[in-house]
Amino acid sequence: MSQQPEQFQNDPMVPPELNNNLFITTLDKLYNWGRKRSMWPMMFGLACCAIEMICVAASRYDLARFGAELMRPSPRQSDLMIVSGTVTKKMVPTIVRLYNQMPEPKYVLSMGACATGGGPFKEGYNVVSGIDKFLPVDVYVPGCPPKPEALLHGFLKLFEKIESQSIRTVPWYRKGEIEAIPVPVLGPDLIDLRRAVEIKEYTQTQVNAAPAPAAEPAHS
Amino acid sequence: MAGKVAAPVAELTGPLAVLKEKFSEALSPGEFEGAVIKNENLVEVAKFMRDDLGYDYLSSVTGVDYPAANEVEVVYHAYSARHGLHNGKPLVFKARAPRDNSVVPSLVSVWPGADFQEREAWDLMGIKFEGHPNLRRILMWEGFAGHPLRKDWHEAYFEQDNKPFDSRWPGGHHTRAEDRVPLADNVAFPPGFDPTDFNSQAETTLVERARSVDVSELGQLVSSDGNGSGSGNGHIADAIQTDHLIVNLGPQHPSTHGVFRMVITLEGETILKLEPVMGYLHRNHEKIGERNTFIQNMPFTDRLDYIASMSNNLGYALAVEKLMKVTPPERAEYIRILMVELTRICNHMWAIGFLLNDLGAFFTPALYAIEERELVLDLFEAASGSRMMCNYMRFGGVARDLPEGWIEKCRDLVFNRLPKATDDLDHFLSENEIIRARCEGVGNLTAEQAVAYSAAGPLLRASGVPYDVRRAEPYSIYDRFDFDVAVRYHGDVYDRYLIRLDEIRQSIRILQQALDQMPGGGEIQAGKKQYQTRVPAGQAYGRVDGPKGELGFYVVSDGNPNPYRYHIRAPSFINLTALGEMCKGQKIADVVIILGSIDIVLGETDR
């Protein structure tokens, strides 16, 4: 064939019968191509958006075209967490725990307004203002709920992100442990343990100051 | 104050007059169509209502907080389901208690269906129900500070009591909620609270309860399975020393239909006790709803049962229309019927598809069901602009008329495609050997139990109670259509599957009639188009027979642009009251299909 790369012609490493069958690429490209075309999402629905997520996996929108139809019920087997719906305070410890259980490389796609910033329910007393308060989010998909096409677009954006990563710099091949995110605790309200000291300082100032009725729960 | 003294005191008539005669001391007429019952007589009067007046079905229990009168109120709506008395009209009664010592006797002993609803009222409103067997928080977690639906309870992000907030309109100087609050997050802690030295109680009581199984039931449960001959109390437990195993399913579990959780105590493979745990999707619909204007709540109802948004729209519209005393024009009524019946079809398709998923037929039947649903969603999108969150109905009509060609598409679907798709499902699934072997006789619920536990919709009708709100208390224009109330008599998972097919067929019948009778044109909205709805003071309970069951909206208005109280009687939530009973003595492998056969949606369960 005429398009055969010239450099193989006299290459002592390449036997003549393989001349037509060689491609040259970078390790990064091969690695990322493999990863992005076999993205296994976790089977994990939270709210309304989960229904659209199921529709994306069904025949009409057919997520299988992008190699991501294999939803895994176990976080140990998943690459991608689609946070599909409202994140509530009661649920967020579970979500963080599941995220910690996922092996690297792992990605988070925040689907819909609620997962992104609390959405229409942001003011609610049991609602977390977006999953990015706890997890690092890779792709945000707007919408309430996003149409299936929008979720597919989110997948494509995630693939773009994967393509831009390099095996030399990705954190999961570097030395040292990747630290787990501390699981939030359900106390009188949701306690983000990373901010425990800050919260303690604040509640102490409340004691010292005059009783602040606005922040104090009215009933026991 | 808030509708408490404004309205005149209503006369006691009909069944209430009978009650008054018998319990003259205990009853006083309220400013609503119903009676206020003294706390000390409540249980006695309730028993009389159930046994002598035929009000065997307690539909809704909820609390209302009146800070100005320093009172909390518990509102009950009871119906006659098995006997079909009183024209399907409710008996509304209330109990009152002071705010700082709000104790009301529990009615779980009279109507077990009050169980979860009373727990919810305790959790969110802080009303103690004396004599409740398990008065713990249900939607929030144990240890949460405060009872959020009290009018003076405010979350960290609280801005103002009613919308539109001054910061948004007309000034428009909105700042992010995070920038307004001290901890830059939607959290508030009691003064002096130390998170570095804290043990959460959220899980402890759950585990304790799961461990504390009544051993006297053990012998009976195991022997009913044919595994032993335990005739006496604890026969097996005496003979063999076994440990109970506590298994936790959910909230993240591939087959729990959303973020629902069950804590199960097992003896071998047999379930001794199942405790549903919910609230993982508690999105505070009611608190937000009391801040929203009436019409602003319409899109929120979409997000309750997000598979059946049109039915939710209708339920809420009916409740508010009762207060406003408006009737939608003819064409709008027909459009509404078309929408809600299409919703029922796609909901049941979905339910059947996912029941089969739970049975292990992983996704193939569901794909067929979803395909039909997609076609219906196309119709919804064409009419309302959105596939799932339709936000289509308005008080006194619908948001916009149907686009051109919609009726033809709908006709094609309803006359040609859906009947065949239903027959296909029936043909391929109903006689399948595995389905029959796994579903028949599993998860039984008798008619008595179903009514006592306030089960609704397909769950109730599959247990042999032909109670359908569309027939019992016809709303909209359901009295014009010729349809049967689907009913099955075994009350097992298989019948719940079959009844969904029956209901799809009945829905198709209604749709076909509606399409034939529908006026070609005309108004779709009663009165002038309004941006701000004025709703007269009063209270109304609007209910529809949604795909999951009886969906009720209890709305109290004090004449302001916002509802004073906005409560949702969610069928998914109340149907779960019976789950523990249905699973007792069953095998652990069947839990998931029993849950699947109830068909819950967590958006509605947790609200």
Side-chain angles (χ1 to χ4, degrees):
Chain A
M1 265 184 216
S2 57
Q3 280 148 8
Q4 173 193 350
E6 253 176 45
Q7 67 264 38
F8 297 154
Q9 296 254 324
N10 302 314
D11 194 331
M13 294 291 287
V14 179
E17 65 270 24
L18 282 184
N19 268 353
N20 292 338
N21 299 316
L22 274 190
F23 296 92
I24 293 215
T25 182
T26 63
L27 189 57
D28 269 343
K29 271 194 182 148
L30 186 68
Y31 175 66
N32 289 336
W33 170 78
R35 287 196 305 139
K36 78 173 187 187
R37 290 302 180 193
S38 60
M39 181 64 45
W40 289 5
M42 182 149 65
M43 185 186 275
F44 171 61
L46 286 180
C48 339
C49 288
I51 306 297
E52 287 297 55
M53 185 174 77
I54 294 168
C55 289
V56 170
S59 51
R60 191 185 212 178
Y61 298 96
D62 199 9
L63 195 52
R65 293 177 292 160
F66 304 94
E69 82 284 12
L70 204 60
M71 301 234 177
R72 303 313 294 176
S74 162
R76 303 283 186 205
Q77 302 168 342
S78 343
D79 308 308
L80 168 66
M81 175 187 262
I82 302 178
V83 184
S84 54
T86 315
V87 181
T88 62
K89 290 179 184 173
K90 199 170 177 179
M91 189 65 194
V92 78
T94 313
I95 300 177
V96 172
R97 195 171 290 127
L98 287 168
Y99 178 80
N100 287 338
Q101 287 173 351
M102 286 167 69
E104 294 280 0
K106 54 186 168 187
Y107 299 91
V108 177
L109 188 150
S110 155
M111 181 183 182
C114 290
T116 302
F121 301 100
K122 180 173 179 180
E123 64 190 285
Y125 50 84
N126 191 28
V127 176
V128 175
S129 320
I131 190 62
D132 55 5
K133 295 250 190 265
F134 291 93
L135 307 183
V137 175
D138 296 281
V139 179
Y140 296 92
V141 179
C144 188
K147 290 193 69 175
E149 295 91 331
L151 181 59
L152 286 178
H153 184 67
F155 266 93
L156 296 181
K157 284 287 161 197
L158 180 66
F159 294 167
E160 274 175 31
K161 173 160 189 172
I162 292 172
E163 274 167 7
S164 71
Q165 289 180 313
S166 168
I167 204 165
R168 281 170 304 167
T169 53
V170 288
W172 55 90
Y173 287 136
R174 321 230 11 142
K175 275 187 185 151
E177 293 240 323
I178 298 177
E179 257 183 50
I181 295 166
V183 176
V185 175
L186 296 175
D189 209 327
L190 184 73
I191 306 167
D192 184 350
L193 290 179
R194 296 168 300 184
R195 300 182 62 197
V197 177
E198 192 187 337
I199 292 170
K200 187 180 174 183
E201 278 166 11
Y202 173 71
T203 53
Q204 288 306 320
T205 58
Q206 276 182 305
V207 176
N208 300 336
E216 183 188 355
H219 303 276
S220 53
Chain B
M1 171 59 226
K4 285 237 71 178
V5 283
V9 168
E11 288 263 323
L12 294 180
T13 51
L16 283 167
V18 179
L19 269 181
K20 178 77 189 167
E21 212 168 280
K22 180 128 173 52
F23 303 95
S24 52
E25 286 298 295
L27 250 67
S28 54
E31 65 289 349
F32 57 98
E33 281 179 48
V36 182
I37 299 174
K38 275 192 192 154
N39 284 348
E40 55 266 33
N41 304 86
L42 187 63
V43 177
E44 186 194 354
V45 177
K47 274 200 181 115
F48 180 77
M49 289 176 194
R50 184 193 64 184
D51 298 333
D52 295 71
L53 296 180
Y55 288 105
D56 52 359
Y57 187 86
L58 184 66
S59 167
S60 158
V61 181
T62 188
V64 190
D65 183 20
Y66 292 104
N70 194 25
E71 263 186 351
V72 285
E73 221 177 52
V74 187
V75 188
Y76 304 85
H77 286 78
Y79 291 89
S80 174
R82 295 198 78 187
H83 314 293
L85 304 171
H86 314 297
N87 286 329
K89 295 276 177 275
L91 182 72
V92 189
F93 58 101
K94 293 183 179 181
R96 286 179 179 155
R99 283 186 97 230
D100 43 5
N101 179 29
S102 43
V103 183
V104 170
S106 164
L107 291 187
V108 175
S109 58
V110 186
W111 290 290
D115 185 351
F116 282 13
Q117 306 190 61
E118 288 185 348
R119 276 178 71 186
E120 186 196 325
W122 155 246
D123 186 357
L124 303 183
M125 198 68 82
I127 301 169
K128 278 204 188 77
F129 290 90
E130 213 166 26
H132 191 289
N134 178 25
L135 195 65
R136 290 180 305 120
R137 286 181 182 270
I138 188 162
L139 295 178
M140 301 304 286
W141 59 88
E142 209 57 46
F144 181 75
H147 299 285
L149 278 186
R150 290 271 176 133
K151 286 284 176 187
D152 52 3
W153 192 94
H154 294 145
E155 60 276 315
Y157 278 175
F158 174 75
E159 193 170 343
Q160 212 177 315
D161 263 326
N162 28 28
K163 288 179 186 170
F165 295 147
D166 294 341
S167 66
R168 322 276 172 102
W169 186 86
H173 304 294
H174 174 54
T175 45
R176 284 172 74 233
E178 282 92 333
D179 300 335
R180 278 194 286 111
V181 296
L183 284 167
D185 201 355
N186 194 9
V187 289
F189 297 98
F193 174 73
D194 183 1
T196 54
D197 179 29
F198 176 75
N199 278 325
S200 176
Q201 295 300 304
E203 292 292 308
T204 342
T205 49
L206 261 182
V207 179
E208 275 166 17
R209 269 185 63 80
R211 285 215 183 99
S212 66
V213 178
D214 186 6
V215 190
S216 62
E217 282 185 37
L218 187 64
Q220 189 198 345
L221 279 173
V222 177
S223 69
S224 67
D225 264 329
N227 289 352
S229 56
S231 51
N233 282 354
H235 181 97
I236 300 238
D238 288 342
I240 315 163
Q241 192 63 43
T242 52
D243 279 343
H244 297 154
L245 191 65
I246 299 172
V247 174
N248 178 66
L249 285 181
Q252 192 270 340
H253 183 269
S255 310
T256 46
H257 293 257
V259 282
F260 179 65
R261 178 176 167 197
M262 294 172 278
V263 180
I264 304 169
T265 315
L266 288 177
E267 166 79 20
E269 280 189 63
T270 310
I271 295 164
L272 297 179
K273 183 175 190 176
L274 180 144
E275 177 133 354
V277 187
M278 51 197 99
Y280 293 95
L281 192 55
H282 179 46
R283 302 194 273 195
N284 329 124
H285 273 275
E286 294 184 6
K287 186 83 178 172
I288 298 174
E290 285 165 22
R291 227 169 265 161
N292 285 344
T293 63
F294 279 93
I295 193 70
Q296 273 178 333
N297 272 335
M298 193 57 87
F300 279 87
T301 64
D302 288 334
R303 286 154 183 82
L304 286 170
D305 175 355
Y306 34 75
I307 300 187
S309 62
M310 289 286 194
S311 298
N312 309 341
N313 282 184
L314 180 61
Y316 179 55
L318 284 178
V320 178
E321 279 163 11
K322 264 190 192 172
L323 285 173
M324 292 170 68
K325 301 196 169 52
V326 290
T327 330
E330 192 81 352
R331 184 170 165 83
E333 292 274 30
Y334 276 99
I335 295 177
R336 284 179 170 194
I337 299 284
L338 289 181
M339 293 301 179
V340 296
E341 291 305 323
L342 283 171
T343 302
R344 191 184 312 275
I345 292 173
C346 57
N347 178 82
H348 284 352
M349 289 269 182
W350 189 272
I352 291 172
F354 279 78
L355 175 65
L356 267 290
N357 252 11
D358 295 342
L359 279 164
F362 197 67
F363 252 102
T364 307
L367 284 178
Y368 281 90
I370 292 173
E371 192 182 350
E372 305 306 318
R373 178 174 177 266
E374 286 287 340
L375 297 173
V376 176
L377 293 193
D378 283 350
L379 289 177
F380 288 169
E381 193 175 1
S384 74
S386 174
R387 282 159 53 88
M388 279 170 66
M389 307 306 177
C390 300
N391 185 18
Y392 185 59
M393 304 203 185
R394 295 290 178 269
F395 310 130
V398 293
R400 53 189 78 81
D401 208 342
L402 300 172
E404 214 174 299
W406 195 94
I407 294 286
E408 289 70 39
K409 263 200 171 151
C410 184
R411 261 184 176 278
D412 185 41
L413 201 61
V414 166
F415 282 89
N416 304 328
R417 173 135 190 162
L418 288 177
K420 185 173 176 307
T422 316
D423 289 346
D424 281 351
L425 277 182
D426 194 3
H427 175 70
F428 288 122
L429 302 177
S430 298
E431 293 305 314
N432 181 297
E433 210 176 313
I434 301 174
I435 292 177
R436 295 195 63 154
R438 288 221 40 205
C439 294
E440 281 179 339
V442 172
N444 279 323
L445 192 69
T446 63
E448 291 78 20
Q449 282 174 326
V451 170
Y453 280 108
S454 302
L459 184 63
L460 179 66
R461 293 191 284 269
S463 290
V465 184
Y467 186 69
D468 189 324
V469 184
R470 292 176 292 176
R471 182 58 54 80
E473 193 189 3
Y475 52 92
S476 192
I477 48 168
Y478 273 109
D479 46 357
R480 300 187 195 172
F481 302 113
D482 180 25
F483 68 100
D484 299 325
V485 175
V487 61
R488 297 265 169 179
Y489 296 94
H490 296 101
D492 55 2
V493 174
Y494 190 61
D495 270 12
R496 278 173 227 139
Y497 154 75
L498 286 178
I499 203 162
R500 295 211 160 85
L501 282 176
D502 296 344
E503 289 195 5
I504 292 177
R505 294 205 167 101
Q506 296 304 327
S507 286
I508 292 173
R509 266 178 83 187
I510 297 175
L511 282 169
Q512 291 178 342
Q513 295 170 48
L515 281 167
D516 283 339
Q517 297 172 12
M518 188 165 168
E523 287 283 300
I524 51 148
Q525 172 79 41
K528 266 195 301 185
K529 209 165 192 175
Q530 291 172 314
Y531 292 99
Q532 183 71 281
T533 321
R534 281 280 157 198
V535 180
Q539 42 201 299
Y541 183 64
R543 55 175 196 155
V544 294
D545 207 273
K548 309 271 189 308
E550 179 183 329
L551 172 70
F553 287 85
Y554 178 67
V555 181
V556 180
S557 165
D558 56 357
N560 282 326
N562 316 68
Y564 184 79
R565 180 82 177 94
Y566 165 74
H567 172 72
I568 303 138
R569 188 252 184 232
S572 299
F573 175 64
I574 294 162
N575 283 354
L576 283 173
T577 320
L579 180 68
E581 198 54 42
M582 281 152 74
C583 289
K584 223 178 230 178
Q586 304 281 334
K587 297 281 187 249
I588 174 89
D590 291 331
V591 165
V592 167
I593 60 166
I594 296 174
L595 180 71
S597 73
I598 303 180
D599 183 22
I600 56 166
V601 154
L602 264 291
E604 189 181 73
T605 305
D606 295 342
R607 284 154 292 149

